[in-house]
Amino acid sequence: MDPIESIAVLRRARAALSGSVGFVPTMGALHRGHLELVRRAAAEQQHVVVSIFVNPTQFAAGEDIARYPRDLARDLAALADERVSLVFAPQVAEMYPAGATTRIDVGPLATRLEGAHRPGHFIGVATVVAKLCHIVAPDALYLGQKDVQQTLVIRRMARDLDLPVQVIVCPTVREPDGLALSSRNAYLSPAERALAPELFAALAAAAQRFAAGERRADALRGLIRRHLAASPAIAVDYVSVADPVELHELDGLVAHAVVSLAATIGRTRLIDNIVLGAP
Ligand code: PAF
């Protein structure tokens, strides 16, 4: 399928689709996690639209935008076997023409965790997803749980801006050893890749302790930190036990929490999370 680069052409093609539309926004470098989102959308909606756009406004200075993996031909080949009606792959100038200065800031939720370590990141995410939703006009948006804060920010943005779109969060897809699938895993050297499953192992250890009755937020954070400290090549950015909606840190006893972490291995920054006490 030929990707559509122009907003005007995408709008016309979208208008010609009858029935419900599920939308999977991506930055390309598609992996099995993305394909699971596409399959879920295809199972639930009459049409699926996928966007492939490495969004410059969500990368802070010094981040990996220059080396972010880009291979449109490979991504299109991966989508060829899926039930996808349209692929939107605009250039930066199409999404952000000269003089486009409007940005969307969802407030404190976007400044915690990833937002604290990547200033402005979620302003870029909220802005591009809002723009994409206006262009694609989907009935439902499919996002992965691996980027839990992103899912909450986008849900908030959609609610506050009255976007008529349902936000559907799909489970994190993992390698057999537990590593969450991410386009950035491609950066890992073999030695770093061997270490990377420790991130999920630390979260799983906390889940096990929670299942055994541990409810103290500090104890859960401490357990994860100690687990990761056993691998000095893992540099921890944060370990969080947070409110599942606002993502502020929890103290005392927890009944329901998002437990998340970010860590750098070599030059690769990875994130992961689990939810404890989910209803
Ligand atoms: O998760 C991503 O790939 C990006 O943050 C998204 C949602 C496509 C916005 O650029």
Side-chain angles (χ1 to χ4, degrees), residues 91-109:
Q91 299 295 317
V92 171
E94 182 73 356
M95 291 298 283
Y96 298 109
T101 53
T102 302
R103 296 290 183 266
I104 294 172
D105 185 347
V106 306
L109 170 62

Side-chain angles (χ1 to χ4, degrees), residues 25-27 53 55 58 125 128-129 143 147 150 154:
T26 82
M27 297 207 300
F53 178 62
N55 173 36
Q58 68 188 74
V125 169
V128 80
V129 175
L143 302 169
D147 297 297
Q150 170 167 282
I154 291 173

Side-chain angles (χ1 to χ4, degrees), residues 23-28 34 37 51-59 68 96 118 121-122 124-126 128-129 132 141-144 146-147 150 154 183-184:
F23 175 43
V24 181
T26 82
M27 297 207 300
H34 295 112
L37 299 179
S51 66
I52 297 175
F53 178 62
V54 181
N55 173 36
T57 65
Q58 68 188 74
F59 289 81
Y68 197 84
Y96 298 109
R118 305 181 65 188
H121 170 64
F122 288 117
V125 169
V128 80
V129 175
L132 289 166
L141 185 60
Y142 290 81
L143 302 169
K146 201 222 17 134
D147 297 297
Q150 170 167 282
I154 291 173
S183 303
R184 291 186 167 96

Side-chain angles (χ1 to χ4, degrees), residues 67 84 170 224 236 252:
R67 67 175 185 138
V84 172
C170 304
I224 294 169
V236 176

